[in-house]
Amino acid sequence: MAAAEAGRGMTQEERDQLAINTIRTLSIDAVQQAKSGHPGTPMALAPLVYALWNRVLRFDPKNPIWPNRDRFVLSNGHASMLLWSMLFLTRTQAVNAEYERLDKPSVTLDDIRRFRQLDSKAPGHPEYHWVSGVETTTGPLGQGIATSVGMAIARKWLASRYNRPGFALFDYDIYAVCGDGCLMEGVGSEAASLAGHLQLDDLCWIYDNNHITIEGKTSITFTEDVAARFQAYRWNVLRVGDANDLKRIEDALAIFRQTTGRPTLIVLDSHIGYGSPHKIDTSAAHGEPLGDDEVRLTKRAYGWPEDAKFLVPDGVMETFDAGIGARGAATRQRWEDQFEAYRKQFPDLAGEIEQMQRRELPEGWDRDLPSFKADAKGMAGRDASGEVLNRLAQNIPWLLGGSADLGPSNKTTLKFAGAGDFEPESFAGRNLHFGIREHAMAAIVNGLSLSKLRAFGGTFFIFSDYARPAIRLSALMELPTILVFTHDAMGDGEDGPTHQPVEQLVSLRAIPGLVVLRPADANEVVEAYRHVMQLRHRPAVLALSRQPLPTFDRTRYAPAAGVARGAYVMADALGGAPEIILIASGSEVALIVAAHESLSGRGVRARIVSMPSWDLFEHQPQAYRDEVLPPAVKRRLAVEQGSTLGWERYVGDQGRVIGMKAFGASAPLKELQRKYGFEPEKVVTAALEMLGRQ
């Protein structure tokens, strides 16, 4: 039946097909009008998203953030028109940053008409912070499916902690649609391997097996047996041979929901550009508009008015109202009624759930944080971090995380009674073991955070390079994730330049919205965590030392609470304004403290500035920044065991930086410090040269 003839007398099959073709043609028209985009995958997968959303998904368009909703992740994010079509057709409502419903659509037809245009709520790829109903930002292939593993872990943990007999508060499922690119990217393999080990049977990936990538047929690069690979990962693997067969799709999804002890992969055979007479099954349907002539021919194949644009026939939105709209509203209402009864029996747990959903912290979350006494020998930043993490995790029940196989070295293991390990037989555990999978670890931490848990991951700082793509996405999504990176400089001496970070600090500092902190002693570590835990919309990285650092006497030096402002004056010159300012972060603060003592003995008026975070400092009022770094004091010396790039903003034209201009070497730490100039005497010499003194 042609779209223009839609009416009440349609059969269910005809209503289904009309809705599917609406999704297809909206996608075609949006890409054509934008002169940019990917029409082929939405044309192929419209039946899948229709069946999933309108027949299966437990999602209420009127409240797209209720806690027990099923999650839908479009990992092949270039097919974003699938998602924008669904959010529009289901009348999904917008929610603001304070979790308030705004009584307006998340995506409008006008947004779709302005697909990929400035300020449209239909951008080129799904964006979590921008459009309500988007569960995670996707685009870099593989990130979506890896993030979905974090969501699945979160669901298991939430159920284990909060579900009680008669109260299945958390029993939702996670569906992720992916393509060949997601399965080629290594992050997808890392995440799939871990998901199989953890037996995450709440997780379903649907693989769009269309045999096409940008360069042509996948046979030029990708000939592995995907089903066999996932069986080796200990997944349940199903196959649907026709992406247009709604019943077989529904049957496969039903099998997933009945499967226990294994995640599920559904291999869905599809035809990219389905309906296009000349571009079906070709790369031409992947990343460019069909063209006006091909659009008309394709619409004719669908039985669609050839010249109609952005047509939504009568009855289509009502089909979604009767499906996901009615089912989602009823499911959510049952959950809310159940939660009210739960609150009466378990008020403390209900309170935790509500605080968690609002990203609030429980009362007393920072009680009993350690305060470290002055100690010339001191302790390593990683050791102080371990003590703080263990205290925080006891005060914040939903703080959990782990390391990429380096827990004993990162000191990220939670050791208090009841912490436990998250494993298939103990989903209540707070210690996650990611294995040697840094890339997937960071994406999984994002998934945990998107599920409203406070999550951390850890590894050596040098391997932040492996985690960086997911860290960037956490900043883009404004998630309060925590990455604990140890061995922050040359403290890993004998392991050599492959394990000694040089450019990592400046690289991470370059990510907008990411808070990077490099504490100078144990008490700065405490204050760094105190600040980080209060972040609600910003991720944080802590770069911590392997080797012991002196714990400064805070009766002689300014309180470590200055960390919250990014930089602070630890000690000032005696007898007048400073002649020179010594600036450092992390382990090098001890160097400038020692140099300050020596310079003071020579009558030099020097100021010590500890600068653990450029980002936090840049967010301070100009008056405070000028107070710490007075513009009149032009002689400034920065010391940091990392790339010197960027320090010119703080030292100016008349300043100097002692840093790394090459990679390190394999040797004991003291020899490396001598070789590269990280000794108090070298700092003193440089300062005197700048002042024109001997």
Side-chain angles (χ1 to χ4, degrees), residues 625-659:
R625 285 181 279 157
D626 289 345
E627 181 183 328
V628 174
L629 300 175
V633 183
K634 303 295 185 183
R635 293 177 177 83
R636 303 175 183 180
L637 176 61
V639 186
E640 187 172 70
Q641 285 184 18
S643 170
T644 62
L645 183 65
W647 272 109
E648 61 273 6
R649 70 167 63 184
Y650 298 118
V651 300
D653 294 340
Q654 298 181 40
R656 188 181 297 186
V657 184
I658 298 175

Side-chain angles (χ1 to χ4, degrees), residues 556-558 567-585 588-601 603-611 617 622-639 647 650-651 656 683-684 687-688 690-691 693:
R556 292 186 60 195
Y557 301 104
Y568 65 104
V569 178
M570 275 188 65
D572 217 342
L574 298 177
E579 301 171 85
I580 189 169
I581 302 174
L582 309 178
I583 317 168
S585 75
E588 290 73 69
V589 172
L591 291 183
I592 65 171
V593 166
H596 177 266
E597 298 289 332
S598 179
L599 289 168
S600 295
V604 174
R605 300 190 306 277
R607 168 178 287 186
I608 305 171
V609 171
S610 174
M611 186 176 281
F617 186 61
Q622 186 64 51
Y624 177 78
R625 285 181 279 157
D626 289 345
E627 181 183 328
V628 174
L629 300 175
V633 183
K634 303 295 185 183
R635 293 177 177 83
R636 303 175 183 180
L637 176 61
V639 186
W647 272 109
Y650 298 118
V651 300
R656 188 181 297 186
V683 176
V684 169
L688 292 174
M690 293 172 68
L691 292 167
R693 303 183 192 178

Side-chain angles (χ1 to χ4, degrees), residues 42 50 113 141 155 207 239 254 308 322 451 461 525 551 598 633:
Y50 174 76
R113 289 191 182 100
L141 294 176
R155 205 286 287 175
Y207 165 40
R239 190 170 206 118
S451 307
F461 195 28
V525 171
T551 304
S598 179
V633 183

Side-chain angles (χ1 to χ4, degrees), residues 24-202:
R24 285 170 167 155
T25 55
L26 283 176
S27 302
I28 291 169
D29 289 341
V31 172
Q32 192 66 26
Q33 181 145 307
K35 299 181 175 60
S36 168
H38 303 73
T41 300
M43 294 162 70
L45 295 187
L48 167 68
V49 296
Y50 174 76
L52 178 57
W53 279 65
N54 214 35
R55 304 276 181 83
V56 177
L57 205 67
R58 291 173 291 179
F59 175 85
D60 181 9
K62 293 182 179 178
N63 189 340
I65 62 169
W66 68 287
N68 200 40
R69 69 192 181 280
D70 286 344
R71 269 57 165 182
F72 174 80
V73 174
L74 188 66
S75 191
N76 46 348
H78 53 269
S80 61
M81 268 310 305
L82 280 171
L83 189 50
W84 309 142
S85 297
M86 296 311 299
L87 294 177
F88 164 63
L89 293 171
T90 59
R91 308 183 206 261
T92 297
Q93 297 296 295
V95 179
N96 66 16
E98 299 302 319
Y99 314 115
E100 298 168 335
R101 282 175 283 173
L102 301 180
D103 195 28
K104 68 178 183 178
S106 171
V107 175
T108 66
L109 189 58
D110 187 54
D111 288 318
I112 291 175
R113 289 191 182 100
R114 296 185 300 109
F115 176 54
R116 288 179 164 238
Q117 306 308 302
L118 187 65
D119 295 330
S120 170
K121 292 300 178 76
H125 291 81
E127 294 187 37
Y128 166 77
H129 74 292
W130 180 241
V131 188
S132 299
V134 176
E135 299 289 359
T136 181
T137 296
T138 56
L141 294 176
Q143 284 289 332
I145 51 175
T147 301
S148 76
V149 173
M151 295 175 177
I153 291 171
R155 205 286 287 175
K156 289 289 189 184
W157 187 86
L158 289 165
S160 183
R161 179 168 180 81
Y162 296 110
N163 287 5
R164 294 292 184 271
F167 294 99
L169 288 186
F170 296 101
D171 64 352
Y172 58 87
D173 293 312
I174 299 92
Y175 299 90
V177 178
C178 60
D180 295 293
C182 293
L183 299 191
M184 289 190 219
E185 292 284 2
V187 65
S189 299
E190 290 182 23
S193 173
L194 183 59
H197 163 72
L198 291 174
Q199 302 176 23
L200 300 178
D201 52 22
D202 54 356

Side-chain angles (χ1 to χ4, degrees), residues 312-445:
V312 181
D314 292 343
V316 169
M317 297 185 79
E318 288 73 15
T319 294
F320 286 101
D321 291 342
I324 189 173
R327 187 183 66 254
T331 304
R332 176 183 59 84
Q333 189 59 57
R334 284 194 299 272
W335 187 88
E336 290 185 350
D337 292 344
Q338 183 184 48
F339 186 71
E340 287 307 310
Y342 180 90
R343 186 200 306 275
K344 293 176 182 177
Q345 290 195 38
F346 310 103
D348 292 343
L349 293 177
E352 285 185 14
I353 292 169
E354 290 178 321
Q355 286 183 311
M356 190 191 324
Q357 292 299 315
R358 296 192 298 266
R359 295 201 188 280
E360 296 175 352
L361 296 171
E363 185 177 352
W365 65 271
D366 59 348
R367 65 179 179 272
D368 302 328
L369 288 184
S371 176
F372 297 98
K373 296 180 179 180
D375 184 351
K377 182 179 179 181
M379 67 190 307
R382 60 174 177 170
D383 290 323
S385 170
E387 289 194 33
V388 177
L389 263 180
N390 270 271
R391 177 53 56 190
L392 287 170
Q394 291 179 71
N395 297 341
I396 306 170
W398 52 93
L399 175 63
L400 71 164
S403 169
D405 197 54
L406 292 170
S409 191
N410 295 150
K411 309 299 183 183
T412 49
T413 304
L414 302 178
K415 299 180 178 180
F416 55 87
D421 294 329
F422 185 95
E423 288 291 331
E425 302 304 320
S426 56
F427 288 133
R430 308 273 292 279
N431 286 298
L432 302 178
H433 299 284
F434 295 104
I436 307 167
R437 302 182 180 99
E438 294 89 354
H439 198 171
M441 175 188 72
I444 289 168
V445 167

Side-chain angles (χ1 to χ4, degrees), residues 612-627:
S613 175
W614 289 7
D615 179 80
L616 294 182
F617 186 61
E618 291 298 323
H619 279 80
Q620 301 307 307
Q622 186 64 51
Y624 177 78
R625 285 181 279 157
D626 289 345
E627 181 183 328

